[in-house]
Amino acid sequence: MKTGPLQEKVEASLEAASLLKPTSVILAALSGGADSLALFLALHQLADKHGFELRAAHLNHGLRGAESEADAAFVEGICSQFSVPLVSDKVDVAGVRARRRLSWEQAARIARYDFLTRATVETQSSAIALGHTSDDQAETVLLHLLRGSGIRGLRGMLPLSNWRTAHGSATLARPMLNVSRRETEAYCLEHGLTPRLDSSNLEERFTRNRIRRKLMPQLEEFNPSVKKSLLRLARTVAQDVAYLDQQTASVWSSLAVVEQDGVRLDRHAFKALHPSLQAHVLHRAYAQTAGEASGLSMVQIETMKELAEKGAGRFLSLHGGVRFGTGYEEIFLTGKGDPRSNRALDETTLRVPGETRAGGWCVAIRLLERGNRPSDLKHDNPYCAYLSLDALGEELTVRSRLSGDRFQPLGLPREKSLKEFMIDAHVPRTQRNGTPLVMANDRVAWVVGWRIAHWARVTPETGVLLEVSFRKTET
């Protein structure tokens, strides 16, 4: 086969992404159109040159009847001709759209990426190669501008990104963002292949099609080089966002706690940040919770910032089932309800030492002799505590609160009602029933995440201490 500028651009992009290795497995998303077919052909040649393994993936969206079936047959034939293994599937996009109340474009995108992620995990591929071109990039920047996506949207698509679903995570590579649609069509023609034409690209019910067919030509009347201007904007903004991401990373560990089903942020530390960094911290927390952040708008970010200023007990439902909420000392984003759910926890005996699963928690207990105890028992993890084995004994249980429970907080000379402690400590009402209590001798030794009991503390006379840690589990 002939080589040329298109293949060289693809090669340079994959080289920059460290994917041109003999150990790499690249899964090419192949629809049968000119863009994906050109990328497939370039990857096939590069696989021979660099020794990586090439596979292909095709999803039948089931939206165009016989035409969709013909696309699938075409892709199967191409893969057979080039001896490339193919992973294929069919999905009811209309059903996905109805169940999740999405637009056609959103439903098709989610179905496509869910399939590609699943295929990546099944085939143990290093990355998914997508055939997005510079034309797609310019349209994406414009689309995000119209939707009010904020500065991140103006970056358009990235050459390398990540997508996470319930099936796992996948690396997305877009090695043709510097290649035009005309170049892909010419490349296919040069290699004697006729791509499939997708009739849905003509349907004006899709916003992207209206941008491509109507808005972009109108803008070109004002500036014939508007696509180049949009691409230049995307590159410039990408550099600025990369710098802001570095600043976000520098403060992340000091204010964020990542849990199994969400992220908690120290409310006071968050409020002290510059408003720009606040937005990027919230974006990162949302992406961590939802798996990706395409559904998050700038309006939602600004609303979260406003709620964080107003006090505890404020909630906001976000795209993808993510929920934002505020407490007295924290703000949180969660995908499955509050990270410390208000669901009651049945009493469970704890293994001492050992691990015990109780409700949605895994409780790990270690015995530490006087000689190997930590020099400093203070730490920043509210879900780990050091307690005196002498005071507690080895018969420990964990449960939720019961009416009449009393508690002696560390530093206080007497007990008070647990309810009174939770109010004074500003434990959010939505978390009180679900907060685990470590019990010993029918007394509350630790209100997990908040305070240990004064009588359970480690003293200089303590011979053996217990290191007790809680972490959320999948179930």
Side-chain angles (χ1 to χ4, degrees), residues 85 88 106 147 162 218 321 400 418:
S88 61
Q106 289 174 322
R147 287 178 174 171
N162 187 267
Q218 291 178 5
S400 296
L418 180 63

Side-chain angles (χ1 to χ4, degrees), residues 138-212:
E139 293 161 6
T140 298
V141 173
L142 196 52
L143 180 64
H144 288 175
L145 179 64
L146 295 174
R147 287 178 174 171
S149 301
I151 188 173
R152 288 183 175 273
L154 298 183
R155 295 179 304 170
M157 297 173 285
L158 300 178
L160 205 65
S161 60
N162 187 267
W163 180 276
R164 180 161 60 91
T165 71
H167 306 293
S169 61
T171 298
L172 308 180
R174 299 180 177 90
M176 295 204 306
L177 292 180
N178 291 324
V179 176
S180 70
R181 194 168 290 139
R182 286 185 178 179
E183 287 181 276
T184 65
E185 293 170 351
Y187 192 75
C188 292
L189 181 62
E190 183 181 358
H191 290 87
L193 293 176
T194 303
R196 296 285 300 172
L197 296 177
D198 186 346
S199 62
S200 66
N201 289 334
L202 305 177
E203 296 183 23
E204 295 194 356
R205 57 173 170 163
F206 299 125
T207 305
R208 183 178 288 272
N209 290 350
R210 295 199 299 275
I211 288 175
R212 178 184 304 145

Side-chain angles (χ1 to χ4, degrees), residues 141-446:
V141 173
L142 196 52
L143 180 64
H144 288 175
L145 179 64
L146 295 174
R147 287 178 174 171
S149 301
I151 188 173
R152 288 183 175 273
L154 298 183
R155 295 179 304 170
M157 297 173 285
L158 300 178
L160 205 65
S161 60
N162 187 267
W163 180 276
R164 180 161 60 91
T165 71
H167 306 293
S169 61
T171 298
L172 308 180
R174 299 180 177 90
M176 295 204 306
L177 292 180
N178 291 324
V179 176
S180 70
R181 194 168 290 139
R182 286 185 178 179
E183 287 181 276
T184 65
E185 293 170 351
Y187 192 75
C188 292
L189 181 62
E190 183 181 358
H191 290 87
L193 293 176
T194 303
R196 296 285 300 172
L197 296 177
D198 186 346
S199 62
S200 66
N201 289 334
L202 305 177
E203 296 183 23
E204 295 194 356
R205 57 173 170 163
F206 299 125
T207 305
R208 183 178 288 272
N209 290 350
R210 295 199 299 275
I211 288 175
R212 178 184 304 145
R213 295 172 59 81
K214 288 188 172 182
L215 182 56
M216 194 67 78
Q218 291 178 5
L219 292 175
E220 287 174 336
E221 292 179 6
F222 293 90
N223 178 6
S225 300
V226 65
K227 288 184 180 178
K228 292 182 179 179
S229 297
L230 290 168
L231 295 174
R232 187 162 52 249
L233 173 64
R235 288 192 293 269
T236 302
V237 172
Q239 292 177 349
D240 292 342
V241 172
Y243 172 75
L244 288 169
D245 282 342
Q246 289 179 357
Q247 300 306 304
T248 301
S250 69
V251 302
W252 181 257
S253 61
S254 65
L255 82 162
V257 176
V258 178
E259 297 184 330
Q260 190 68 45
D261 47 11
V263 175
R264 288 188 295 115
L265 301 171
D266 182 293
R267 187 161 171 258
H268 301 292
F270 175 82
K271 290 172 65 176
L273 295 176
H274 187 281
S276 177
L277 269 187
Q278 288 181 344
H280 288 274
V281 165
L282 289 173
H283 183 278
R284 177 168 174 171
Y286 177 88
Q288 177 76 40
T289 304
E292 56 91 32
S294 64
L296 187 64
S297 70
M298 200 61 207
V299 171
Q300 291 172 327
I301 289 177
E302 291 298 327
T303 302
M304 286 189 280
K305 288 165 61 178
E306 291 174 7
L307 293 181
E309 291 287 337
K310 290 183 177 180
R314 311 295 176 125
F315 297 94
L316 176 67
S317 294
L318 302 170
H319 178 79
V322 175
R323 195 178 190 219
F324 170 85
T326 63
Y328 291 101
E329 303 294 331
E330 66 186 16
I331 58 180
F332 56 85
L333 291 94
T334 174
K336 302 176 183 177
D338 194 316
R340 288 172 290 186
S341 167
N342 210 31
R343 185 177 60 248
L345 180 65
D346 293 333
E347 188 162 16
T348 304
T349 300
L350 299 176
R351 295 187 183 91
V352 182
E355 287 194 357
T356 309
R357 289 183 179 269
W361 298 93
C362 178
V363 187
I365 299 179
R366 291 198 304 158
L367 300 180
L368 301 178
E369 303 286 345
R370 185 186 299 272
N372 67 345
R373 70 176 54 176
S375 57
D376 183 2
L377 300 183
K378 295 180 179 180
H379 51 74
D380 296 327
N381 183 1
Y383 293 99
C384 179
Y386 294 102
L387 307 171
S388 169
L389 178 65
D390 300 337
L392 274 69
E394 296 187 8
E395 295 183 7
L396 307 182
T397 61
V398 61
R399 63 167 172 82
S400 296
R401 66 175 181 165
L402 298 175
S403 178
D405 277 337
R406 299 189 65 77
F407 177 58
Q408 182 188 4
L410 180 66
L412 293 187
R414 61 177 180 82
E415 288 186 338
K416 61 184 352 181
S417 73
L418 180 63
K419 179 179 179 180
E420 183 183 0
F421 163 75
M422 286 186 163
I423 293 173
D424 292 344
H426 300 308
V427 180
R429 185 187 301 273
T430 56
Q431 296 181 8
R432 294 173 191 172
N433 287 340
T435 298
L437 307 176
V438 173
M439 307 293 298
N441 305 315
D442 293 325
R443 302 177 71 186
V444 179
W446 180 25

